[in-house]
Amino acid sequence: MTAAPTPSCSACRFWLWAIVLLVLPFALVAAIRFLPDRPVTYDDPVEHFKYGSTGGERNMGFPYWLFQVLPDVCPEMLPGKGYASLGFIFEPGRDLPVGMSKRRHLGIDRVFLNCAVCHTATVRTSLTAQPILVSGMPANQLDLMRFQKFVQACVNDRRFTPAQVVPRIAEKAGGLGLFDKTVVYPLGIYLMRDGVAGLLGRLRFIHAQAEWGPGRVDTFNSAKAIFGVPFEHLPKEELVGVSDFPAIWNQAKKQGMQLHWDGNNSRVEERNLSAAFGTGATPKLIDHAAIARIEGWIATATPPAFGKYFPIDAPLAARGKAVYDATCAACHGKSGSNFTGDSVGKVTPIAAIGTDRGRLDSYTLQLAQNQGMLYSADPDRRFRHFRKTWGYANAPLDGLWLRAPYLHNGSVPTLWDLLQPAAQRPKIFWRGNDLYDPQHLGFVTAEAPGLFRYDTAIPGNGNAGHEGAAYGTALPAADKWALLEYLKNF
């Protein structure tokens, strides 16, 4: 029997090269499309803070066009028109709100939240005035819970399918290529549905809580979600830790102070990396160079002066300085820029301060221990300073006029109200307004469309505490008005 002839080596090489030449162009095109990892960057540090990436788009990023069309897919799930109805701020000419960054990743533009979403807001000096954008102040209009619930509900809606969503994207984008239309966005829709289900499945505790309202977040129950904590089995006192977004100016001066509302960490760098988890920036995916630029800006950033927008009665403020020095300086610093004082940045026990303990109880010893495991593979960044405390920290008061409502949970609308005994403070008021009240130092809280009804009777919303002679609530009215006038300089 004659053996079959074997192909020559030259023939094998021919076919091998033919295959390579056929595949190479497709591989090159795929590499050009899918390998770049490129954030949109900004030279100006404030623009970088408002729109720069922290790396979270790699992990949690929404495909850009899917984010853009969600309000069109599920308009009735929003309280008004578009993301602005949830308190997101859009600057003229911008296609994304303040606090949202864009990165080209895995072949598609992806967007997600950054630090500024929780730390930027607007202020109006009158009903007819244009809003003034202030970076670094608490985002007192952003309703983060409603945003989370909107995304979850819309992505799980029967309308969130390629057949209904891709045509909307094509219309909004001015057309899509065949590959994007038939592969990229249909696949992105299914991946986004799975990703949102996984993320918000971990954050399921929000469905067991009362509405947070604008300007607030449950930071550390969200942190527990990272560790897969079984919320159904936690004691009820752990489940309500809602607090206001803080201001973030002058961070260099606050290094070594007990940070966060309960003073659970004393290192600015650890606090920043911990906060970055909220933007999706996990240890493996965080953009450390981008975070470093944000840290560089907030280290020396300062709040705008009250006197730039409203008058200050100098003689009355001079009287108020004496009241402040005698009553407030030891805990909150000599001034709005000098943070020295015996108790500044230290924790006052809950028994002494007497404010709502929900936020304090939500942060547990076990969580502090678990946080020590984060960045465990990176000795230079491993968390070593998280501690369980038993009270709330005495914070410096820089930019105090822009930090209303007051106390850690935003339960007292104005500084004037904070100087009253708890029994005389408003029990119900409306949050989310950017119209400023320069007399009482706070935002206007009268009922109006689009505002949130804040009820101090709801667990976690209590407005008691920070009262008595040590806290200024027993002062004569004349001294209180003088003190408020002085605090306008902070």
Side-chain angles (χ1 to χ4, degrees):
M1 182 177 235
T2 305
T6 58
S8 67
C9 290
S10 60
C12 292
R13 283 195 295 271
F14 170 80
W15 287 110
L16 178 62
W17 279 108
I19 293 170
V20 168
L21 291 173
L22 284 171
V23 172
L24 187 60
F26 294 102
L28 183 60
V29 170
I32 293 171
R33 172 71 190 262
F34 292 102
L35 289 184
D37 179 34
R38 185 175 58 249
V40 177
T41 58
Y42 304 86
D43 293 332
D44 181 83
V46 179
E47 292 301 295
H48 175 73
F49 172 72
K50 292 189 292 184
Y51 299 105
S53 171
T54 64
E57 309 94 343
R58 296 163 171 163
N59 181 35
M60 296 183 182
F62 307 135
Y64 169 81
W65 285 114
L66 288 179
F67 174 78
Q68 293 287 24
V69 302
L70 275 188
D72 301 326
V73 175
C74 308
E76 81 289 348
M77 294 181 182
L78 290 167
K81 185 176 181 180
Y83 293 113
S85 67
L86 298 174
F88 285 91
I89 302 166
F90 287 84
E91 294 188 278
R94 289 283 186 177
D95 59 338
L96 291 173
V98 173
M100 182 157 280
S101 57
K102 182 193 288 187
R103 176 185 291 265
R104 187 75 171 180
H105 183 66
L106 296 179
I108 196 169
D109 288 332
R110 296 158 65 110
V111 297
F112 201 64
L113 308 177
N114 71 5
C115 302
V117 76
C118 298
H119 305 292
T120 301
T122 59
V123 181
R124 284 182 301 144
T125 56
S126 70
L127 279 171
T128 57
Q130 288 296 310
I132 302 161
L133 186 73
V134 182
S135 296
M137 72 174 279
N140 59 19
Q141 296 153 271
L142 175 68
D143 197 328
L144 190 58
M145 176 188 269
R146 289 196 77 168
F147 172 65
Q148 292 173 337
K149 288 184 174 181
F150 164 71
V151 171
Q152 184 179 38
C154 188
V155 168
N156 288 324
D157 190 80
R158 58 180 175 77
R159 292 166 290 183
F160 193 72
T161 64
Q164 297 207 41
V165 176
V166 173
R168 292 180 183 274
I169 293 175
E171 180 182 358
K172 213 170 189 94
L176 287 176
L178 181 63
F179 186 60
D180 283 334
K181 184 182 296 185
T182 58
V183 177
V184 172
Y185 281 101
L187 180 60
I189 288 166
Y190 292 119
L191 291 177
M192 185 172 175
R193 179 177 290 169
D194 289 344
V196 167
L199 170 63
L200 295 182
R202 289 190 170 219
L203 299 176
R204 62 192 180 279
F205 69 88
I206 67 174
H207 296 287
Q209 294 182 334
E211 292 290 325
W212 300 344
R216 308 174 80 216
V217 65
D218 192 331
T219 306
F220 286 106
N221 274 320
S222 298
K224 292 172 193 173
I226 296 172
F227 301 104
V229 167
F231 291 102
E232 296 79 6
H233 302 294
L234 294 182
K236 64 179 182 179
E237 59 267 20
E238 277 192 45
L239 294 177
V240 181
V242 186
S243 56
D244 269 28
F245 299 126
I248 56 170
W249 302 296
N250 291 306
Q251 291 301 303
K253 291 183 177 182
K254 297 169 184 175
Q255 184 71 277
M257 295 183 183
Q258 290 185 263
L259 307 168
H260 285 139
W261 292 112
D262 59 345
N264 64 18
N265 197 299
S266 58
R267 300 298 300 175
V268 168
E269 298 85 355
E270 288 191 15
R271 193 277 319 280
N272 293 342
L273 287 179
S274 172
F277 276 91
T279 68
T282 58
K284 287 186 178 181
L285 300 174
I286 189 171
D287 188 331
H288 285 292
I291 291 287
R293 289 193 64 201
I294 293 172
E295 288 182 324
W297 180 72
I298 63 177
T300 58
T302 55
F306 178 95
K308 182 178 180 180
Y309 306 105
F310 301 104
I312 299 175
D313 183 332
L316 185 60
R319 283 184 49 204
K321 182 181 184 306
V323 179
Y324 177 86
D325 290 344
T327 308
C328 315
C331 287
H332 294 293
K334 288 187 176 181
S335 71
S337 58
N338 182 338
F339 302 157
T340 57
D342 291 344
S343 299
V344 181
K346 298 178 181 178
V347 169
T348 295
I350 190 65
I353 193 72
T355 50
D356 190 289
R357 60 181 302 138
R359 165 63 182 77
L360 176 65
D361 290 341
S362 75
Y363 189 83
T364 63
L365 177 62
Q366 182 180 8
L367 178 57
Q369 293 170 336
N370 286 341
Q371 286 180 293
M373 300 302 296
L374 299 170
Y375 286 95
S376 58
D378 187 344
D380 292 335
R381 296 189 174 97
R382 183 171 183 173
F383 294 166
R384 293 182 170 87
H385 296 85
F386 277 100
R387 300 288 186 272
K388 171 63 183 169
T389 72
W390 309 105
Y392 290 111
N394 304 319
L397 302 182
D398 46 327
L400 182 64
W401 70 284
L402 291 171
R403 289 158 65 171
Y406 296 98
L407 297 183
H408 71 275
N409 59 357
S411 59
V412 181
T414 71
L415 278 178
W416 174 255
D417 295 317
L418 187 60
L419 289 174
Q420 312 312 313
Q424 298 176 25
R425 296 169 186 167
K427 303 304 178 192
I428 291 173
F429 59 95
W430 276 259
R431 289 190 56 146
N433 205 340
D434 66 349
L435 180 61
Y436 201 75
D437 173 358
Q439 180 182 8
H440 299 95
L441 293 192
F443 294 96
V444 172
T445 59
E447 182 177 3
L451 300 185
F452 176 79
R453 183 181 186 271
Y454 186 99
D455 186 349
T456 60
I458 292 174
N461 289 4
N463 66 352
H466 201 277
E467 60 182 316
Y471 299 100
T473 61
L475 290 169
D479 286 351
K480 290 179 181 179
W481 286 118
L483 176 57
L484 253 62
E485 202 68 20
Y486 176 64
L487 290 173
K488 294 176 181 178
N489 290 292
F490 279 50

